[in-house]
Amino acid sequence: MLTIPPRGGVHVPGQGLEALDVTSVRAYGVRIEFRVPAPLLAHLPVPIVPGAEQGSRGPADAVISVRVDHTADGGTLYEIAENGTVLGMEASLQAAASVVESWAQLTVATLARGLVFVHGGVVGWQNRAIVMPGRSLSGKSTLVLALVEAGANYYSDEYAVFDSDGRIHPYWRPPKLRVASDQEAASRLLGGVVSGSPPLPITLGLVLISRYEAGSRWLPRQLSCGETLLGLLDNTVPLRLRPEESVKTLAKAVANAQGFEGMRGEAADFAEQALGLLRRV
Amino acid sequence: MNPTARRSGIFVEHLPKEVILYDKSSDRVHCLSETAAAIWENCDGTRSEDDLARLIEARLGTPADRKLVLQALEELEKAGLLEAGHDLVSSGVMTSRREAVGKIAMAGSALVATIVAPAPAAHASSGKPDPPPPPPPIRHNPPDPPPKGPNPPGPKPPVTPPGGKK
């Protein structure tokens, strides 16, 4: 990591220019450069993006920068930008780091070459993957943890990474839950797992599309091949940028898989039934 | 006027019994049932609804059903998959579009399922609602088309089944 005099750096009244750190990572073929205040780096995970190599060389696919601003009342604001376009403002280093991490991961998911990232949780069971596509706050991590507790292997709580043959690779990061007690449980369950080697790519077995409804029992409707594909495409990050690659890749993946859709209740009940479904597919 | 399929700017992927269409002009993805796909593929401006019904009968082995053809055409038209100019009313059987739609609505379930392709920004997970869309990436190769904007707000609609219940 190189600390450089800030080119276009931050003027802090009475303190001169505030130093920026420049660092970069390359993950899944995407190189991202970061220009951020040095103290922010302490709040970023290592690696910032799962599977990334630090300090790579070459032209950047994206530059994420954080500019420090000082308000009239003495407060501090952190302005986060990607390729010069402002993404947002945060009042704390920790919050700014969270946005930087999230956008770095999204940028990789969008631009990764030869791979299609689908927003969703993934577990492996008897060498086949269960993918639960869904956006943020849809309960992906909770479902993944419930399936791991029921005996499945952890692959990801954020993205299903499909290669050109339709196989699913792990997105190897610790699961992130918003409730502190859930996060502690996740750390106990998977802390040792994600510090080890990631599992091998596997073929798709099940796609489960569900929405939580208190008191519901998981009585899913079986989806056709096309509906299953549509369910994945609805959560495919690079779909608008690379529609043909996305559709072809996921069509291969669903060829021997089965999809189900329905309301679900508690995660533990869902997990038991999901593994039962995969046994029958 | 006989119906004509719109094909420009549409990427086609064939599945065993369905067809997926990606419409690059609207960033919508359509899943056509076997029946709807057969009709769309044969809407060449020369075939009438009756011709299409007979063709479906020959190809899929189902009895010729003009109502089913009209339903499929209605759904294809709503999805923007037919060239402008086709009108169910002109088929001579229906006295008005309202009547046509009313009869179609009773005929069965959807034959065309559609989603709006999500913009990359829809997948941001900073823990904050409604993040801004990401800027166009710096490209060193020929550029991909930029995202056309975030998804419309509101809850995600469920996938509607083409071809009815399983």
Side-chain angles (χ1 to χ4, degrees), chain A residues 35-273:
Chain A
R35 294 173 172 266
V36 299
L40 185 137
L41 292 173
H43 294 277
L44 290 172
V46 179
I48 300 171
V49 178
E53 299 168 16
Q54 295 281 137
S56 64
R57 294 184 180 278
D61 295 286
V63 177
I64 296 178
S65 57
V66 176
R67 193 174 70 88
V68 185
D69 215 346
H70 295 273
T71 59
D73 60 0
T76 304
L77 282 176
Y78 300 90
E79 181 188 88
I80 304 110
E82 187 175 34
N83 300 341
T85 300
V86 175
L87 302 172
M89 305 281 282
E90 294 294 343
S92 74
L93 266 179
Q94 193 168 7
S98 175
V99 175
V100 167
E101 179 192 354
S102 171
W103 280 89
Q105 296 193 9
L106 180 62
T107 298
V108 168
T110 305
L111 301 179
R113 294 157 176 91
L115 297 167
V116 174
F117 281 60
V118 174
H119 207 179
V122 187
V123 297
W125 173 255
Q126 297 176 344
N127 291 321
R128 302 190 80 187
I130 300 175
V131 172
M132 293 153 286
R135 308 282 169 82
S136 296
L137 302 173
S138 65
K140 301 187 302 291
S141 301
T142 304
L143 294 181
V144 165
L145 283 182
L147 281 157
V148 170
E149 282 187 319
N153 295 321
Y154 178 71
Y155 267 68
S156 168
D157 75 333
E158 182 67 0
Y159 293 122
V161 183
F162 290 83
D163 66 22
S164 56
D165 294 324
R167 292 180 311 163
I168 300 169
H169 295 243
Y171 190 71
W172 206 229
R173 72 166 204 185
K176 286 191 172 181
L177 291 106
R178 286 177 169 81
V179 179
S181 58
D182 292 344
Q183 184 63 58
E184 286 167 17
S187 299
R188 279 197 304 275
L189 188 63
L190 286 166
V193 173
V194 292
S195 62
S197 299
L200 294 171
I202 49 176
T203 55
L204 182 60
L206 275 183
V207 176
L208 303 179
I209 300 166
S210 67
R211 274 183 295 177
Y212 176 75
E213 186 179 77
S216 283
R217 186 152 179 269
W218 171 243
L219 296 168
R221 178 177 71 90
Q222 186 169 341
L223 300 174
S224 69
C225 184
E227 291 172 292
T228 304
L229 178 52
L230 220 51
L232 289 176
L233 292 171
D234 198 27
N235 293 279
T236 298
V237 180
L239 181 57
R240 285 198 184 196
L241 299 176
R242 304 193 307 275
E244 296 189 17
E245 179 189 353
S246 299
V247 171
K248 281 187 174 300
T249 295
L250 298 179
K252 271 186 202 170
V254 301
N256 295 307
Q258 186 61 66
F260 293 89
E261 177 189 49
M263 306 304 289
R264 65 175 166 82
E266 299 311 312
D269 296 336
F270 170 87
E272 287 295 339
Q273 291 183 61

